[in-house]
């Protein structure tokens, strides 16, 4: 099974980049399932239903998220629907709307367990331990017929992301980091067969500070006044990790970081 994971899609420029690039990419590379992190799809913060529909039309099959998931409250009702194709991090308290894992199926019947957890180092909130949360989910799926297990670890610190990658090595097919919006060059298959990249980066405005208008962010750092966020314009970058998984062993057998820039 071949999956493609697209980093945080940032605002309209990010959505436009996905619509322009993904349909051909999905076909040319024979991708079975496309997953994308949706937390910044609505004007850089949050996600709404029309964003989800727009990206499904471009070929995204399923969505993960992170700390911005609840910024647009209209998404809460959708998250309460157990079939809605969007996860919130699993390590929020149980009573929070939504789910942190789901089994999805490719058109040719391959089953992929997708897990979304959030880090605790330099992150807002006081969530449960992401390491133990994944353990719990994996225990629930012991003996289930799955062809792969994918983890989006939405976290700031590279150390926490590397540690979770090694912790889960050999037990899941892939651990890919999101949230920093900056891709790291450490993509590889770990010793036990788990595909890993500390951060896959974002898909959105290239000439920006992690997607936002650079002048406003610079002004914030110079003055320490409250940060105003506007989505930047100009060229767009598309960043994603393609992962090939052996359906029988569930181990990663190939991976390629894809980075494309368009006007
Ligand atoms: Fe993000
Ligand atoms: Fe985030």
């Amino acid at each position: 099974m071949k999956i493609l994971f697209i980093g945080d899609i940032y605002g309209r420029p990010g959505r436009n980049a996905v619509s322009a690039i993904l349909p051909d990419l999905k076909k040319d590379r024979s991708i079975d399932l496309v997953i994308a992190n949706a937390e910044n799809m609505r004007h850089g913060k949050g996600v709404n239903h029309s964003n989800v529909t727009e990206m499904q039309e471009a070929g995204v099959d399923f969505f993960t998220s992170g700390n911005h998931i609840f910024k647009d409250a209209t998404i809460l009702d959708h998250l309460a629907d157990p079939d809605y194709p969007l996860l919130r991090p699993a390590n929020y308290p149980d009573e929070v709307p939504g789910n942190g894992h789901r089994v999805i199926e490719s058109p040719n019947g391959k089953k992929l367990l997708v897990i979304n957890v959030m880090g605790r180092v330099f992150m807002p909130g006081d969530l449960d331990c992401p390491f133990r949360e994944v353990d719990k989910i994996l225990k629930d799926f012991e003996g289930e017929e799955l062809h792969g297990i994918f983890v989006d670890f939405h976290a700031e610190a590279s150390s926490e992301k590397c540690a979770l990658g090694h912790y889960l090595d050999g037990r899941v097919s892939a651990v890919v980091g999101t949230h920093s919006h900056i891709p790291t060059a450490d993509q590889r298959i770990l010793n036990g067969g788990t595909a890993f990249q500390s951060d896959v980066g974002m898909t959105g405005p290239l000439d920006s500070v992690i997607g936002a208008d650079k002048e406003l962010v610079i002004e914030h750092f110079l003055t320490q006044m409250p940060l105003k966020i506007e989505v930047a314009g100009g060229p767009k970058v598309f960043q994603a990790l393609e992962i090939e998984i052996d359906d029988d062993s569930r181990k990663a057998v190939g991976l390629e970081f894809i980075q494309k820039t368009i006007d």
Side-chain angles (χ1 to χ4, degrees):
M1 167 174 35
K2 242 192 210 177
I3 63 175
L4 184 79
F5 180 58
I6 303 170
D8 306 31
I9 299 170
Y10 197 96
R12 182 179 298 282
R15 303 197 310 272
N16 287 349
V18 171
S19 297
I21 290 169
L22 182 60
D24 284 346
L25 193 77
K26 193 173 178 179
K27 211 181 319 147
D28 294 348
R29 290 175 174 258
S30 306
I31 305 290
D32 295 299
L33 284 168
V34 178
I35 305 162
N37 190 299
E39 74 151 5
N40 304 107
M41 293 208 302
R42 191 216 56 170
H43 204 65
K45 273 187 182 176
V47 45
N48 62 31
H49 180 61
S50 91
N51 303 150
V52 168
T53 307
E54 182 184 341
M55 291 295 88
Q56 282 178 311
E57 280 163 12
V60 179
D61 299 295
F62 196 69
F63 301 86
T64 54
S65 67
N67 51 303
H68 293 306
I69 178 65
F70 305 120
K71 285 273 156 59
D72 183 330
T74 63
I75 205 66
L76 290 172
D77 285 344
H78 295 287
L79 284 174
D81 172 357
D83 295 323
Y84 199 67
L86 167 65
L87 298 180
R88 52 112 168 122
N91 47 338
Y92 274 106
D94 286 343
E95 58 266 37
V96 171
N99 211 299
H101 69 273
R102 182 89 48 84
V103 176
I104 59 172
E105 201 169 322
S106 70
N108 59 354
K110 302 294 178 197
K111 287 182 180 164
L112 180 74
L113 170 61
V114 182
I115 301 172
N116 189 188
V117 277
M118 199 150 89
R120 300 194 294 184
V121 179
F122 308 133
M123 292 293 283
D126 188 9
L127 298 183
D128 293 342
C129 172
F131 292 69
R132 292 179 178 89
E133 187 66 40
V134 179
D135 280 342
K136 258 197 287 179
I137 295 167
L138 293 180
K139 197 162 191 313
D140 287 345
F141 280 89
E142 263 172 18
E144 293 268 336
E145 194 211 345
L146 293 170
H147 302 99
I149 303 172
F150 174 83
V151 179
D152 171 357
F153 189 28
H154 197 77
E156 180 74 38
S158 301
S159 59
E160 195 180 16
K161 295 193 243 194
C162 279
L164 189 75
H166 288 297
Y167 184 67
L168 297 175
D169 185 21
R171 297 195 282 149
V172 305
S173 314
V175 176
V176 183
T178 55
H179 176 71
S180 80
H181 294 195
I182 305 294
T184 54
D186 60 345
Q187 66 273 11
R188 66 198 189 278
I189 297 175
L190 303 176
N191 295 341
T194 295
F196 176 77
Q197 186 176 18
S198 295
D199 205 299
V200 67
M202 68 159 179
T203 288
L206 175 66
D207 190 24
S208 70
V209 176
I210 63 170
D213 181 291
K214 58 190 180 185
E215 300 305 335
L216 292 175
V217 182
I218 291 168
E219 184 68 16
H220 163 71
F221 281 111
L222 286 173
T223 63
Q224 295 302 304
M225 294 290 282
L227 177 60
K228 290 187 230 92
I229 295 269
E230 285 300 329
V231 176
K236 310 159 192 88
V237 66
F238 174 96
Q239 302 184 114
L241 188 67
E242 181 193 285
I243 304 155
E244 192 168 357
I245 300 167
D246 178 76
D247 297 334
D248 297 320
S249 67
R250 297 183 202 166
K251 289 186 190 302
V253 289
L255 84 177
E256 185 183 341
F257 176 60
I258 299 165
Q259 188 180 55
K260 290 176 184 289
T261 306
I262 56 166
D263 288 334

